[in-house]
Amino acid sequence: MARIPENFIQDLLARTDLVELIDARVPLKKTGRNYSACCPFHQEKTPSFTVAPDKQFYYCFGCGASGNAVGFLMEYEHLNFPEAVKQLASRAGMEVPESRPETAADRQKKDRLQSLYDLLSRAETFYAQQLRQAPERQKAVSYLKNRGLSGEIAKRFALGFAPPGFDNLITGLSLTDAGLEQALTAGLLVRREDTGRTYDKFRDRIIFPIRDTRGRTIGFGGRVLGDGKPKYLNSPETPVFHKGQELYGLWEWRQSRDRSDRLYVVEGYMDVIALAQHGVPNVVATLGTATTEDHARKLFRQVNEVILCFDGDQAGVRAAWRALESLLPALDDGKQVRFLFLPDGEDPDTLVRNQGPEALRALTDKADALSTYLFRHLAEGLDLETVDGRARLARLALPYLDKPAGPVYRALLAEELSRLTRLDKESLAQLKPAKPAPASPPAASTPQAPPPWDEPPPDDMLPVDSYDEPDMGLPTPARGRPRTGNRRGPQSLAERLILVLLDYPDLLEQHPLPEGLEQLDLPHLDLLIQVADQCRQNHSPAALLGAIMALEQGETLPRLLKASLKPPMAANTAKRLWQDALSQLEVARLEAALLDVEQAGIPDPSHWQALHKALAEARQHARKPFE
C-alpha cells in the first residue's frame, strides 16, 4: 500500500514540538519533567492528560488516549492521517513528498545511515584507545590534567586523542576502499582534489565525540595540541551530523540524572566538561556556530529556562544579539531566557575553577532577562527623554513584538514597549504592519487510526531504585538466588525488557534476543518479540511507542505507556539489566529444550549431552557479573 515515506514522517516529528502544538489548543501546566492538563478527549475535573516533552508523546491515564503530534491532530481536529501530516508539514515549512511504498532505495538509504553510525562508533573507540596507548599521548594527557579534568570526567565524555600522522585512523580501522569512501562521507577523512590522496581529518588533537539525543556518535570536535590552526576543528556537515541542530553535552547531561529546569549554553567543549566536573552538569554548547532556532526549540523541549553565557566584549555582544533573534520565535509562555555576560578575562571554565559554581550562580541571578536585553540593546545610543528617541525605539522594536510564540509573552513585550515609549498599546498596534491573511484550514474528515509506525524523537525511561536483582518472572531454576530490592512498575521479564527497549533500542543490535524464545511459556513474551521486531524497523524510542500502539495486547500497553513516562533508567543500569535478562532467558530456553528432549523418550545421547553442556555454560555465564 502506498504511504508517505517513513523517513519524512520521522523528520517531520523531529521538527515538531508536541508541547507547543498541544498547548496552543489545550493549555498545559508544567508538572515535574512533564506537562499536564484535563484531557481534551473525555470529560474530567482532575488533570490526567500527560505530555512528555522528552519523548514527544502524550498519554491520558483516564481514557487511555495516546500518541504523537500526528495522532493528536487526527483525534483533536478530526483529520485523517495524510491531512494531519500535511498540516504539520505546513507548520514546519516542509513539503510533503508524494505518497509511495517504501522502496529498495529507501531501505538502502536507511542501511547506509546505520553503517555511518557504526563507523563513527568505531572511530570513537579508536580515539579513546589512543588516549591510553599512543606513544605521543602524554602531551594530550598533560593538557587535560592541566585543565583540571579527572579520568572519570574524561571517560564520561569519551574523550580521545588523534595522534600525529596522516593515516592512523585509516590503519587503525583497517579501512578498505569502500570503507575509505564511507569514512569520507562521515567526515573522518579528507581527500585532496589535486592529488586524490586521502588522509585523516583529525591529527595531533584531543578528540571530543559529539552525540545525538540517542547517544549515537555523529561527529567529532578536535582541539589542536600546540600552535596549529585552526585551534578547534569540527566534523563537516554529513548525512548524520548537522551542527545547526545539535548541542554538545545534551546527551551527557540527560544521562547525569540532574533534574534542573535550567540549561546553560556556553561556547566551547572544555567549558561544558569543566563545569560538569565542578558540579554544574546542566551545560551544553553550540558547535562552532551561532545559536539557531533549531537549537532553541531543542533547548526548550528539555527545560523552561535557558541561560546564554557570552564574553563581555563586542564579539560576545554580537553573538548574544544573534542568539536573541534565533530564540524569539521559539519563546513560548512559561519559557525564560537570560543573557549572562562574563567578566573580562573569564570564561565559564576559569570562573568555576577559580571561584566555584557559586560564582556562576551569583552571576546568573543578576543576568538580564531576554526582554530587558532586547530593549536595552535597541535603545543603545537613544535618548528616551526625547520624542525622537522614543519614536526611534518604537520603530526598531515593533518588528520583534510578534516574534515570540507565546501570546502572553507578546502582550507583555507590547506593554513594556508602551511604557518605554509612552505610547498606548492601541497606538502601537496601529503602527504594526498588516499581517497576510491566514491560509484556510484543511477540511475535516472522519478520523482514522494512525498507521502502526506513527511516532517521534528519542529518549529515556523507568526509574529503578536499585539494581539488586529485579524479579525477572523466570522459573526458580533459572536463578538459584533469592530476589531482593524494591520493585516497581511491570514485574514480568518481558514487560521490563520492553520498557528498556523503548529507551535504548540499540541494545537489541548489541545483544540480540536468543533464538527460539517463542517456545517459552512466559507472560507477555509474544509482545516482547513483536516490539523487538518493531525495534529493527523504527530507529527512535518515540517512533517505537507509536508502532506498538497498533499491537493488540489488551491492558498491557496502557500499563507500559504509563511506566514509560517515568524518569529514565541510567544507560549502564539498563545495559546490565538487559544482559542479565538475556542470560536468564537463554538458561530458561535450554532448560525447556532439555525437558522436551527428556519427555520425548530415550534421547539421542550426543544431543542430550550437548544440551547439558550448553545449559551448564549458560548457567555459569548467568552467574558472572557484567562489566
Side-chain angles (χ1 to χ4, degrees):
M1 178 185 294
R3 69 180 188 188
I4 299 171
E6 181 180 350
N7 59 346
F8 175 81
I9 300 295
Q10 298 281 353
D11 190 21
L12 175 62
L13 291 170
R15 297 190 190 196
T16 300
D17 186 343
L18 182 63
V19 172
E20 181 183 314
L21 179 76
I22 294 179
D23 190 49
R25 295 159 175 80
V26 182
L28 297 173
K29 181 179 180 181
K30 190 84 162 67
T31 50
R33 58 187 285 115
N34 297 325
Y35 292 81
S36 65
C38 288
C39 181
F41 304 122
H42 81 285
Q43 296 295 321
E44 63 177 3
K45 296 181 180 179
T46 304
S48 61
F49 182 78
T50 297
V51 182
D54 55 351
K55 287 185 169 61
Q56 292 289 289
F57 186 77
Y58 70 88
Y59 183 78
C60 177
F61 297 109
C63 68
S66 58
N68 63 1
V70 176
F72 179 83
L73 280 184
M74 290 174 65
E75 187 120 0
Y76 188 82
E77 299 193 0
H78 306 294
L79 306 177
N80 61 28
F81 182 76
E83 289 170 342
V85 170
K86 188 174 182 179
Q87 186 170 337
L88 278 182
S90 175
R91 185 173 178 272
M94 300 170 69
E95 185 175 346
V96 181
E98 185 178 348
S99 297
R100 57 176 174 77
E102 185 179 41
T103 64
D106 294 328
R107 290 189 290 274
Q108 288 173 359
K109 180 180 179 181
K110 194 182 299 182
D111 291 342
R112 283 196 299 270
L113 290 177
Q114 187 57 50
S115 67
L116 289 181
Y117 289 124
D118 294 340
L119 179 60
L120 288 161
S121 178
R122 290 173 57 205
E124 178 190 320
T125 301
F126 170 80
Y127 290 134
Q129 289 172 342
Q130 295 308 298
L131 187 59
R132 298 190 301 270
Q133 301 171 3
E136 308 90 344
R137 71 186 184 281
Q138 193 53 50
K139 56 183 176 180
V141 173
S142 297
Y143 173 83
L144 295 174
K145 286 184 176 179
N146 290 337
R147 294 296 295 263
L149 299 189
S150 67
E152 179 185 351
I153 202 75
K155 183 178 180 181
R156 186 193 311 174
F157 284 85
L159 300 188
F161 173 55
F166 289 88
D167 61 356
N168 291 297
L169 184 69
I170 295 172
T171 304
L173 299 186
S174 302
L175 296 178
T176 62
D177 289 344
L180 290 175
E181 295 302 320
Q182 196 176 50
L184 285 164
T185 303
L188 295 169
L189 304 180
V190 177
R191 175 174 286 156
R192 290 191 55 158
E193 293 184 6
D194 53 350
T195 64
R197 181 188 175 195
T198 300
Y199 56 91
D200 294 353
K201 181 177 180 66
F202 298 101
R203 307 178 304 281
D204 200 18
R205 290 176 181 268
I206 291 172
I207 297 296
F208 303 86
I210 301 165
R211 292 155 166 168
D212 65 10
T213 49
R214 288 178 57 184
R216 298 176 299 192
T217 299
I218 55 176
F220 298 95
R223 190 205 188 277
V224 71
L225 291 167
D227 299 323
K229 299 291 182 181
K231 183 177 178 181
Y232 282 95
L233 181 66
N234 290 326
S235 290
E237 295 281 313
T238 73
V240 297
F241 176 56
H242 309 286
K243 63 183 179 181
Q245 299 174 10
E246 302 298 337
L247 292 162
Y248 179 74
L250 180 60
W251 184 80
E252 286 81 1
W253 167 62
R254 285 162 57 171
Q255 297 307 303
S256 74
R257 305 184 71 80
D258 173 70
R259 291 293 172 260
S260 301
D261 199 25
R262 164 191 290 175
L263 273 175
Y264 289 91
V265 181
V266 297
E267 293 188 89
Y269 302 109
M270 289 300 300
D271 289 328
V272 173
I273 298 170
L275 288 174
Q277 177 163 308
H278 287 86
V280 187
N282 50 322
V283 187
V284 298
T286 53
L287 297 163
T289 183
T291 307
T292 66
E293 189 174 335
D294 285 335
H295 287 146
R297 296 192 184 282
K298 182 169 284 191
L299 287 164
F300 286 135
R301 279 201 291 267
Q302 315 302 321
V303 294
N304 286 322
E305 184 180 14
V306 173
I307 312 295
L308 297 159
C309 299
F310 297 100
D311 293 338
D313 57 16
Q314 284 301 311
V317 170
R318 288 193 297 271
W321 185 251
R322 289 196 301 270
L324 181 145
E325 292 183 309
S326 297
L327 284 161
L328 269 178
L331 190 57
D332 210 339
D333 298 336
K335 305 296 183 182
Q336 185 176 6
V337 178
R338 291 191 185 186
F339 291 81
L340 191 162
F341 292 96
L342 296 165
D344 288 343
E346 295 278 16
D347 58 35
D349 177 8
T350 59
L351 179 73
V352 172
R353 274 198 291 159
N354 296 333
Q355 303 180 44
E358 299 77 15
L360 181 67
R361 296 187 182 106
L363 286 175
T364 301
D365 292 338
K366 299 176 184 177
D368 285 339
L370 182 143
S371 57
T372 303
Y373 182 65
L374 170 69
F375 291 118
R376 180 161 60 80
H377 181 87
L378 293 175
E380 189 172 349
L382 302 179
D383 183 357
L384 298 188
E385 294 303 315
T386 67
V387 171
D388 291 351
R390 294 195 297 275
R392 178 67 176 157
L393 176 62
R395 286 298 181 187
L396 290 173
L398 279 171
Y400 294 93
L401 297 189
D402 288 332
K403 288 189 176 182
V408 174
Y409 202 94
R410 292 197 299 268
L412 291 174
L413 282 183
E415 188 173 300
E416 179 65 8
L417 182 59
S418 175
R419 184 186 69 79
L420 292 170
T421 60
R422 306 178 195 175
L423 285 169
D424 58 54
K425 287 185 283 187
E426 289 74 17
S427 298
L428 288 174
Q430 292 175 3
L431 293 173
K432 290 182 183 179
K435 293 182 179 180
S440 56
S445 62
T446 306
Q448 298 178 7
W453 43 276
D454 98 357
E455 261 315 86
D459 281 67
D460 321 281
M461 65 164 269
L462 172 79
V464 172
D465 289 339
S466 63
Y467 184 82
D468 295 323
E469 181 181 358
D471 184 352
M472 292 296 185
L474 287 170
T476 304
R479 286 276 195 182
R481 307 193 301 272
R483 296 180 171 87
T484 61
N486 179 21
R487 302 188 298 271
R488 296 188 292 175
Q491 297 302 305
S492 78
L493 167 67
E495 287 176 310
R496 285 181 179 273
L497 295 189
I498 289 168
L499 286 170
V500 170
L501 281 182
L502 293 181
D503 288 309
Y504 301 98
D506 287 343
L507 283 174
L508 192 63
E509 292 184 16
Q510 303 165 21
H511 308 285
L513 293 173
E515 295 182 2
L517 279 189
E518 62 279 357
Q519 300 172 11
L520 294 178
D521 184 18
L522 293 176
H524 308 116
L525 193 58
D526 59 330
L527 180 57
L528 172 62
I529 293 170
Q530 291 180 70
V531 169
D533 182 63
Q534 292 294 340
C535 233
R536 299 181 187 98
Q537 303 174 40
N538 299 276
H539 297 295
S540 75
L544 193 57
L545 283 170
I548 70 168
M549 282 165 52
L551 304 177
E552 294 293 336
Q553 292 294 332
E555 297 180 356
T556 304
L557 282 181
R559 192 164 65 250
L560 289 174
L561 292 168
K562 179 178 179 180
S564 75
L565 294 175
K566 296 178 181 178
M569 178 188 297
N572 60 342
T573 302
K575 183 177 180 179
R576 288 170 57 202
L577 189 152
W578 181 263
Q579 290 177 294
D580 194 31
L582 293 194
S583 295
Q584 295 184 52
L585 280 172
E586 180 64 6
V587 168
R589 185 187 70 80
L590 290 168
E591 287 175 338
L594 189 60
L595 183 63
D596 288 343
V597 167
E598 291 174 345
Q599 290 180 343
I602 300 174
D604 175 66
S606 59
H607 181 47
W608 184 81
Q609 288 176 356
L611 282 174
H612 261 290
K613 181 180 178 182
L615 180 57
E617 291 174 350
R619 284 173 172 166
Q620 184 177 6
H621 181 264
R623 294 189 191 101
K624 292 180 180 178
F626 292 100
E627 295 297 330

